[in-house]
Amino acid sequence: MRKVVGLGVAAVIAIAVVFAVGQNNDEGISVSPEVTLDSKIRTIAGGEEAQAGAIPFQVSLLSAEPDSITNNPNDSSKWVLAQCGGSLIAKQWVLTADHCVLRTNAGSIDTRYVWLGIGNNNFNASLKDPYLFRVSAAYPARVGDVGLDLMLLKLSTAVTYSANVQPVALPVALDPNIWPVKDAVATLSGWGKQLDGTTSPVLRKVNTEVGDSPNDLACRDSAGNARFAGFYNSAKDVCVKGGTQGDVLAGACSGDSGGPMTVTV
């Protein structure tokens, strides 16, 4: 049986994306801030809407800068919020990008200000009961600028698996030196920014291809050097081509950070 597998890496589409691969295999206790899908929160570039259950490991993530709330407890217009995605990897664990979780001015994480939505393709609806989950602990994979842009979030309560809620398979048994294979089809998903500037609360997905070779100008320049120096490191990141689908540009964009990239193996 074929399955989808993933890993944590950064996509060279000006956004860090956590890669995951899906396989077949509760409850929220609080209310998240109301999110308005404005010009800062848009959908994945190109692609199409994802049907319910098509990406059952997709997690929506809303993070608030703790100091902005404590300094303005009664004025939510002054709260600094960040939208991201994540991947469910077990009943009580979510994998996302480190930069998706906003810190205090002192650099610490306050899990009270991280909200996760699981099991609903609508971003706003996913952050309300019964889809809303809180975080009991956060484990970043880097300290300062040292380490990978990854973070594990432990849920306060375990999810219940269903047709719309399933974990992803991580590529622990695959050789990172040869996988994912160049030109393999990779699916990106999220609620991030889309090309025409319109907004959509519905999860979207788009297919692209794994890149990175001296002859692949999407990932390297004509001299064979990796593009986006300081952002893309070919030794630890995966480059996906983005590019076009027909006449339409396609790929991940702002707001898709931390979400899954899936590859079937």
Side-chain angles (χ1 to χ4, degrees):
M1 179 181 73
R2 303 177 76 198
K3 66 179 180 179
V4 183
V5 181
L7 66 164
V9 291
V12 179
I13 311 179
I15 199 71
V17 178
V18 170
F19 295 86
V21 180
Q23 68 177 0
N24 287 327
N25 271 303
D26 287 267
E27 56 188 354
I29 57 173
S30 183
V31 177
S32 64
E34 189 68 26
V35 180
T36 300
L37 292 174
D38 59 18
S39 60
K40 296 181 180 179
I41 302 180
R42 298 174 178 156
T43 54
I44 204 158
E48 60 187 2
E49 289 187 2
Q51 298 300 310
I55 309 176
F57 42 83
Q58 176 79 48
V59 174
S60 61
L61 185 154
L62 184 66
S63 172
E65 185 182 88
D67 294 312
S68 71
I69 294 182
T70 56
N71 293 335
N72 307 281
N74 300 315
D75 187 356
S76 60
S77 67
K78 294 182 180 179
W79 297 356
V80 178
L81 302 174
Q83 172 199 327
C84 276
S87 296
L88 184 70
I89 61 173
K91 284 189 173 182
Q92 213 167 343
W93 293 94
V94 167
L95 178 65
T96 188
D98 178 280
H99 74 266
C100 284
V101 177
L102 301 182
R103 267 72 160 182
T104 66
N105 291 333
S108 62
I109 297 172
D110 191 332
T111 57
R112 293 178 299 171
Y113 303 119
V114 181
W115 299 269
L116 302 177
I118 302 173
N120 193 310
N121 278 11
N122 182 289
F123 190 85
N124 279 349
S126 71
L127 295 172
K128 298 177 182 178
D129 290 337
Y131 309 104
L132 175 65
F133 286 79
R134 302 313 309 274
V135 175
S136 63
Y139 300 92
R142 68 180 180 184
V143 177
D145 294 327
V146 179
L148 297 175
D149 184 17
L150 299 173
M151 185 178 293
L152 280 174
L153 300 175
K154 185 176 183 180
L155 304 179
S156 298
T157 56
V159 303
T160 298
Y161 291 153
S162 67
N164 295 333
V165 179
Q166 291 288 321
V168 303
L170 298 178
V172 293
L174 299 176
D175 185 348
N177 293 311
I178 59 175
W179 189 89
V181 179
K182 183 181 178 297
D183 296 328
V185 175
T187 300
L188 307 174
S189 56
W191 292 272
K193 187 176 182 180
Q194 67 180 10
L195 293 171
D196 61 7
T198 60
T199 61
S200 169
V202 180
L203 179 68
R204 296 183 71 86
K205 63 178 182 177
V206 64
N207 288 336
T208 181
E209 295 179 347
V210 175
D212 197 5
S213 75
N215 298 320
D216 194 343
L217 295 183
C219 303
R220 294 179 180 272
D221 61 24
S222 58
N225 299 311
R227 292 184 181 274
F228 305 101
F231 174 78
Y232 168 53
N233 183 334
S234 60
K236 62 181 181 180
D237 300 329
V238 171
C239 170
V240 293
K241 298 180 181 180
T244 63
Q245 291 185 343
D247 295 328
V248 179
L249 291 171
C253 200
S254 177
D256 294 319
S257 292
M261 180 193 87
T262 64
V263 179
T264 300
V265 296

